[in-house]
Amino acid sequence: MTLFRKNRTAARRVPAEVVALDLGAMGLKAVRLRKDKDGLTLLAADLLPAVKIAAEATAPGRLNLPRKMFTNYAALTLSSEKNMVRLITLPGYSEQDQNLAEKIQDIVKLEDSQRLAYLPIKTGGAKHDARILTVAVPEAEIQQVLALLPAGPPAPLSLEFSGLAALTAFFHGPGRQAAEEAVCFIDSGARTTFVAFLNRGEPVLVRTLELGGETLVEHLQAQWSLDRATALGALEKGATIDISQSVHELAAPFLRQVSISRDFVERQENCRITRVYLSGGMSMVWHWRNELKAAIGLEVQPWNPCEDLKLAPGAWPAALKGQEARFAAAVGAALGALDAS
């Protein structure tokens, strides 16, 4: 579901190749993918310096990409504390309703400074109600993102919320096997974490909660008087500093909200959540995985968004080995832009 998509005409068909750029606060994740008759191939990946995108920030300059990322089109994702993702129910839904957009805007309380994107997830029923996924993002942030690539290749092709882009990657991976189950998907960013509960392949509850990898690093620095490098090292399994209690304290409010959401979904949908899938930087922190498992009592599965892609020789840098989970949103954005099925 895109906040911006370049208009397509008969002469401008779905591209065969795209570079996807996930504008995270802890680094810009970039992947270049190609789709052909043999399937999907990852041509290159890189972790680049972060670009600050915020409604009140100064407009960034042009983004300089390494040559290996050059192609005609770019699919972009962003996430900030001011992004709002909601799943709403709209009574009396009709695709022919000329006031449909206005009705959705009224429900989500869209502000003049925001741009709205929406997608019907489930329609029909006796009352013709519809479940609609909505995203609202400050217009100023969207313009800052588009200003990164003002002219020449790669041209911006699409822009979407990073959590939903990661969910797209999930649907192309473990989501296929979990299509008949009720599961939870969690994608962590720098400051916020996107949580989606899915029943038989359809989102039934989505939330964006305040907790992320950067939050955890700053908490460790303050609590233990650590420099940033040492705090990052403490997140690795086998580190000499035991941060389990620190993670427990910081994650407790988040985990309570996830537990409440799970109980609500199970009652509302008459289902049972069977497992939790993780992506994003926090999924690599084993203390975090243990806290989730203990709090929710479910199987917790990190996953590699690149596992179903063919890799071109040298496509994945050795320095990024083991960090594939951080690239879920970038991979999902590329899959969406390529209309991969």
Side-chain angles (χ1 to χ4, degrees), residues 216 220 224 226 228-245 247 284-287 290:
L216 177 56
L220 294 175
W224 293 80
L226 304 175
R228 182 175 176 82
T230 305
L232 288 170
L235 300 178
E236 299 176 2
K237 191 171 183 177
T240 56
I241 300 176
D242 182 6
I243 64 169
S244 56
Q245 186 60 31
V247 175
M284 301 185 297
V285 181
W286 73 280
H287 300 282
N290 287 347

Side-chain angles (χ1 to χ4, degrees), residues 20-319:
L21 307 172
D22 178 24
L23 303 167
M26 296 182 74
L28 190 160
K29 279 77 71 178
V31 297
R32 184 161 65 95
L33 264 65
R34 180 178 63 213
K35 181 182 179 182
D36 55 28
K37 59 182 179 62
D38 296 321
L40 293 159
T41 302
L42 190 146
L43 303 174
D46 207 347
L47 179 61
L48 305 172
V51 177
K52 183 175 178 58
I53 300 293
E56 67 280 0
T58 303
R62 181 182 177 87
L63 182 63
N64 293 315
L65 295 173
R67 179 166 291 278
K68 64 181 180 180
M69 292 298 170
F70 274 22
T71 190
N72 287 334
Y73 295 106
L76 302 111
T77 79
L78 82 161
S79 175
S80 78
E81 298 172 27
K82 294 187 177 181
N83 297 170
M84 184 174 66
V85 184
R86 288 182 60 189
L87 195 59
I88 65 172
T89 299
L90 180 66
Y93 171 82
S94 171
E95 291 183 356
Q96 285 72 44
D97 188 348
Q98 296 182 352
N99 299 317
L100 179 60
E102 289 78 6
K103 290 180 180 179
I104 295 174
Q105 290 173 13
D106 288 341
I107 293 175
V108 301
K109 303 289 191 283
L110 187 72
E111 299 177 3
D112 292 339
S113 60
Q114 294 176 311
R115 184 183 298 197
L116 176 72
Y118 61 88
L119 177 70
I121 298 298
K122 188 175 183 179
T123 61
K127 297 181 180 179
H128 301 287
D129 291 351
R131 184 181 288 157
I132 299 178
L133 185 61
T134 69
V135 183
V137 175
E139 181 67 32
E141 292 188 8
I142 294 175
Q143 295 305 319
Q144 287 195 33
V145 171
L146 298 180
L148 294 172
L149 302 170
L157 177 66
S158 61
L159 171 62
E160 57 186 312
F161 173 70
S162 61
L164 294 177
L167 188 58
T168 297
F170 170 77
F171 280 134
H172 283 79
R176 294 180 186 271
Q177 289 72 48
E180 298 302 316
E181 301 178 50
V183 300
C184 177
F185 171 77
I186 299 178
D187 178 68
S188 59
R191 298 289 181 186
T192 59
T193 294
F194 174 74
V195 181
F197 287 89
L198 314 167
N199 188 22
R200 296 182 179 274
E202 290 185 354
V204 294
L205 179 67
V206 296
R207 301 190 66 180
T208 303
L209 301 175
E210 293 185 3
L211 179 67
E214 188 69 15
T215 313
L216 177 56
V217 171
E218 291 176 355
H219 181 74
L220 294 175
Q221 286 184 266
Q223 188 175 50
W224 293 80
S225 299
L226 304 175
D227 59 43
R228 182 175 176 82
T230 305
L232 288 170
L235 300 178
E236 299 176 2
K237 191 171 183 177
T240 56
I241 300 176
D242 182 6
I243 64 169
S244 56
Q245 186 60 31
S246 298
V247 175
H248 175 77
E249 294 170 357
L250 186 65
F254 173 92
L255 295 173
R256 280 196 296 271
Q257 291 300 313
V258 173
S259 294
I260 291 170
S261 297
R262 180 195 62 180
D263 293 343
F264 172 81
V265 168
E266 290 183 340
R267 290 194 306 270
Q268 187 80 7
E269 296 292 318
N270 191 26
C271 66
R272 185 168 182 80
I273 306 298
T274 57
R275 71 191 76 190
V276 180
Y277 290 92
L278 303 180
S279 66
M282 293 273 281
S283 69
M284 301 185 297
V285 181
W286 73 280
H287 300 282
W288 167 246
R289 299 197 299 267
N290 287 347
E291 285 295 324
L292 276 170
K293 185 175 182 180
I296 305 175
L298 296 174
E299 181 182 357
V300 176
Q301 296 185 207
W303 59 282
N304 179 354
C306 303
E307 62 187 4
D308 293 325
L309 304 175
K310 293 182 292 183
L311 298 185
W316 196 265

